[in-house]
Amino acid sequence: MKHLSLNIISAFVAAFLLTACGDTENFTQINQTGVDVYASADDLPECTDENEGDQAYVKGETSARLCVDGEWFVTDRSSAKDTVYVGGDKLNCTTEELADKSGLKIVCNGDSIGVVLNGAKGEDGKKGDDGDNGSGCTISQNDTTLTVTCGDSTTTVKLGTGKPAADTTVNDTSDAADGKSLKQTNGNFTSYITNDEGYYKFTSRKVNPYALVIVDGNYRNEVTGVVSAQSIKLKALSDVRKHHTGANVNILTHLEYERVYYLVTKMDYGFDEAKQKAQEEIFRAFNMVIESDKDAETLNIFGKTDADAALLALSILLQGDRNEADMMALLTEISNDLAQDGSWDDSVTRTKLADWALQADSDKMLEKFRENVKKWRLGGDSTVPNFEKFIRNYVNAETHLGACAEGNKKAFAHVPNPRSKYYAENYDSIDVSSNSLARVICDSVGDYHWRFATALERDTKDFDADEDGTWKKGKIDTSLVYVYDAGWRHGTELDLFLDLGCTENRKGNMVLGGDNVWYICTDVPKMTYENTSWTVGWRVATGAERDYTYLETEKDEDGTLLTGPVTGKVMVWDADAFREASENEIEFGRGCVSYILGSSDTLGLHSSYTCWADGWSFDSANVITDPRDGHVYKTVKIGNLYWMAQNLNFTYDIVTADVFSGMDRHNVLSKCYYKGSTNNDTCAKYGQFYPWSAAMDSAALFSDDGRLCGSDRTCVPAKRVRGVCPVGWHLPSQAEWERLVIDVGGSSDAGRKIKSKYDWYTSSYNGQDPGGTDAFGFNAKPYLSNATGYDAKFWSATEFNNSDSYAVTLSSYNYNVSWASTGKGNSFPIRCVKD
């Protein structure tokens, strides 16, 4: 039987991936037999509470120094009673009194291997034979035991076997060096976590090379992607000589522990041989064939070898959906099962792990696990080895499905392992609501693997290709509807109700349902079922959509207006689609469509209009120039009359006249609009404002038509009056204003059509925009006519009586055009009409 000289190492670090959280947190106290050597006493570290009990050698001194109560004491070995050998090492033992006088520390070769208390329970006051606390204790030793006697209390410590001959030299070929001696010892040395991948280094010493490393802490969970809520404790048997620069305690080192110990102590294996055998057996227990001579503590889930990938696969499989306590219970169960024969015989648990992995793979969770590990960025280039193949090989074996490969790609199967919760002998005959319905399919997307087939795949397995829009019920789940849309996909109840599937090729089609409602096949918000999705479907058709169907046969690229039979809306075919006609288009009776942009047309109004992006507009080339001052005015033909499309901006002042009528100059002077603002020149926007006498040219500057027409004078001209207008144009009469209103559609709505589009008072009339459409290009602009609102008023040449004349009014509060008598002394703008 072989024995392993074993150093116990305990640490508080993370279990799966140890973490370094900063320079001050990289220190971990670990117990192991071994002593540091310093060149001089000055080089010794400070003795503190943190390193109480540590020992060290100073070159030139024959005894070790011990850190006690803040000082380094030289240990005294004079009381050693015997010399024994453990694993080929000479072992000199003595005792030292504890600082609290409660007992003795047993020190062998400068290292503490245990404590003996005064009395059976260490009660105070128990003294040795010489009356001092513990000072009378004696030690007796042989090859296998060390006995400490204090008064009437005796403590025996087992040391081990293997005492060599007196002249034997201890070196690396000794029993301790090759693992042929196993004895548990105690002691201290310091370890540092060297990186965030979970490695920590052992200080190199000439000590027994084998250590039991125990780690206790939280860990990064590859399944959840976060740090565990509870800590776990993992262990490893490690050769310190080989791994003093770095070691990783992990799932594999924990699982192999019991097996390695058994092989060495019971089966006469050397340490390295036992480690290699145990590792191979664990991989084989999980159906992983790995060729690797690396020790488990050197593996890394960010490594590039199959063994590294297998370690990650093991960690994921064993973590599964368990909490920390359940996982540790499972690890203990497996480790104990492996100990004596190297096999894991719990077929029920093996199958449960496979069921979980099959479901996770079907849910695409393996991709998530990979991302969880990758985002930690602990592997240099953040590469993650191919752990998926080992998880899938495990599933293949434990479910009894066998390999998924090119030869059975897209093949269906059931889980043949009767211990699996997904097992079922006859899938086609079982209740579709049963959880045991788990037909699987060999998926070739990515690496080949088995996954649960979707309802679509199961139900349409035997469906042949069919005509577009064909529908069928599922073969297994007859409550589901499927539609052929360049391949079978899920459908809806409307596909069944209308007896036709809505597909990409049928978009725009309308069908009259049995409920006498029209339905249209169109784009709909994304619909999903399992892992499939589609974006076309039936819905109730709108009135406009029904109009479109009718109007489709009447479409006209020249802008012909069409009225929908369902909604009554006026539509126009534009840019290969129907749209509603604008008010401007409706008023002119023709669509301004993209095909004729930039073109001009009289639109039956004896004037030129151009189709622009925002609709019809009178041609800006229709202008006149007033020879008196050079002002240029746009004009527009409405009906049979040509109107100025801008207010007159001619300055009328009788001071310049050759003939003076004797009238008050104030009553015949034009001016720029200034009400509600400073007296700046606003003539460019509004034209000039004229009292009625100036509008009629009462001073006869340009004609005798309106001579002496003014306030307090009756004036009924026999013919039209040029007034202040340019030559060839005249001041419109009330009758001509009435003609304009009729030509644009009547007084109740005429105001909206001849108003400008902008600048009208912001309040609304009956919820409508107070502005106009300027459909005919008349462009009547508003101005603040009183303290409460905006209007636009224009003089006519028709007198009401000797003090009032008729004016046309457009208001912010309605769409009407109204006539009212108003005092001749008021000033309003003028629109002239062509003779």
Side-chain angles (χ1 to χ4, degrees), residues 136-393:
C137 296
T138 60
I139 297 177
S140 62
Q141 306 171 124
N142 57 37
D143 289 350
T144 60
T145 62
L146 175 116
T147 302
V148 180
T149 303
C150 298
D152 57 2
S153 297
T154 300
T155 299
T156 300
V157 180
K158 294 183 179 180
L159 299 177
T161 61
K163 178 179 179 179
D167 58 352
T168 300
T169 300
V170 178
N171 52 43
D172 284 344
T173 63
S174 68
D175 287 349
D178 64 11
K180 294 181 179 180
S181 178
L182 267 177
K183 177 188 69 69
Q184 185 166 302
T185 65
N186 288 307
N188 295 316
F189 77 90
T190 300
S191 172
Y192 293 88
I193 300 173
T194 58
N195 58 45
D196 276 341
E197 295 173 30
Y199 284 91
Y200 51 86
K201 65 187 292 185
F202 298 111
T203 303
S204 179
R205 295 187 173 99
K206 295 186 67 176
V207 297
N208 272 330
Y210 305 110
L212 165 58
V213 183
I214 301 174
V215 295
D216 188 353
N218 299 83
Y219 63 96
R220 291 185 176 96
N221 186 328
E222 298 92 347
V223 174
T224 65
V226 298
V227 175
S228 65
Q230 302 295 326
S231 65
I232 66 171
K233 184 178 293 185
L234 296 181
K235 56 191 175 184
L237 289 174
S238 184
D239 186 338
V240 177
R241 296 168 305 175
K242 295 169 61 177
H243 307 304
H244 66 275
T245 59
N248 180 17
V249 179
N250 53 56
I251 286 282
L252 186 56
T253 66
H254 190 84
L255 288 176
E256 74 177 11
Y257 170 77
E258 296 292 346
R259 181 59 174 161
V260 171
Y261 197 88
Y262 182 86
L263 289 172
V264 172
T265 61
K266 303 295 184 182
M267 301 300 293
D268 205 32
Y269 276 77
F271 184 76
D272 289 344
E273 184 184 9
K275 289 269 288 184
Q276 187 67 29
K277 180 176 177 60
Q279 180 175 300
E280 291 173 356
E281 290 170 338
I282 293 170
F283 282 143
R284 188 164 56 250
F286 285 86
N287 303 288
M288 302 175 183
V289 180
I290 307 295
E291 293 184 4
S292 174
D293 58 359
K294 297 173 65 177
D295 288 339
E297 55 267 47
T298 67
L299 299 183
N300 179 0
I301 64 172
F302 293 98
K304 302 183 184 303
T305 69
D306 277 352
D308 297 316
L311 173 63
L312 179 53
L314 278 177
S315 184
I316 291 172
L317 281 171
L318 293 169
Q319 177 65 65
D321 55 1
R322 298 169 184 81
N323 60 31
E324 293 83 1
D326 289 342
M327 184 186 68
M328 288 307 301
L330 177 61
L331 293 180
T332 299
E333 174 190 324
I334 298 173
S335 180
N336 290 338
D337 196 355
L338 288 164
Q340 294 192 18
D341 59 6
S343 64
W344 178 26
D345 302 317
D346 186 353
S347 57
V348 174
T349 302
R350 294 166 67 98
T351 304
K352 287 181 179 178
L353 265 62
D355 283 348
W356 175 85
L358 176 59
Q359 183 68 65
D361 206 0
S362 299
D363 294 341
K364 298 184 178 180
M365 292 304 296
L366 269 59
E367 300 172 13
K368 177 64 176 176
F369 304 157
R370 172 173 286 275
E371 287 304 312
N372 288 344
V373 176
K374 188 175 182 180
K375 72 182 180 182
W376 295 332
R377 299 184 180 277
L378 301 179
D381 57 1
S382 293
T383 57
V384 180
N386 185 12
F387 68 90
E388 292 91 345
K389 68 179 180 180
F390 293 109
I391 290 180
R392 288 164 177 167
N393 286 343

Side-chain angles (χ1 to χ4, degrees), residues 551-612:
L551 297 173
E552 182 73 19
T553 58
E554 305 294 329
K555 61 188 179 185
D556 190 327
E557 295 183 357
D558 290 333
T560 301
L561 302 185
L562 302 169
T563 301
V566 178
T567 65
K569 291 182 178 180
V570 180
M571 311 296 294
V572 63
W573 180 257
D574 190 5
D576 299 325
F578 277 108
R579 62 169 173 82
E580 290 189 39
S582 68
E583 293 182 359
N584 177 282
E585 291 171 318
I586 293 173
E587 287 162 356
F588 287 126
R590 185 179 178 193
C592 174
V593 294
S594 57
Y595 315 110
I596 57 174
L597 282 178
S599 300
S600 295
D601 197 307
T602 63
L603 302 178
L605 298 174
H606 307 292
S607 183
S608 179
Y609 291 82
T610 301
C611 177
W612 301 110

Side-chain angles (χ1 to χ4, degrees), residues 10 12 53 58 98 211 219 223 226 315 454 471 527 601 658 678 691 709 793:
S10 62
F12 291 90
V58 175
L98 298 179
Y219 63 96
V223 174
V226 298
S315 184
T454 63
W471 66 269
M527 293 185 285
D601 197 307
D658 295 331
T678 58
C709 289
K793 294 185 178 182

Side-chain angles (χ1 to χ4, degrees), residues 396-424:
N396 296 346
E398 294 301 327
T399 60
H400 302 176
L401 282 166
C404 166
E406 179 66 26
N408 57 350
K409 180 173 62 175
K410 296 185 178 180
F412 284 80
H414 69 275
V415 176
N417 184 347
R419 288 179 292 274
S420 171
K421 67 179 180 180
Y422 303 120
Y423 171 73

Side-chain angles (χ1 to χ4, degrees), residues 455-457 459-460 463 470-475 477 480-484 488-491 529:
L456 171 65
E457 291 168 329
D459 279 348
T460 63
F463 289 0
T470 300
W471 66 269
K472 289 184 180 182
K473 287 190 173 183
K475 178 181 177 182
D477 189 345
L480 296 177
V481 177
Y482 300 94
V483 170
Y484 193 81
W488 290 101
R489 64 160 173 81
H490 285 284
Y529 189 89

Side-chain angles (χ1 to χ4, degrees), residues 796-825:
S796 76
T798 304
E799 183 184 73
F800 178 73
N801 56 34
N802 67 340
S803 61
D804 296 329
S805 291
Y806 284 105
V808 173
T809 300
L810 303 175
S811 173
S812 290
Y813 299 102
N814 57 53
Y815 292 150
N816 298 336
V817 174
S818 61
W819 294 265
S821 61
T822 184
K824 294 177 179 179

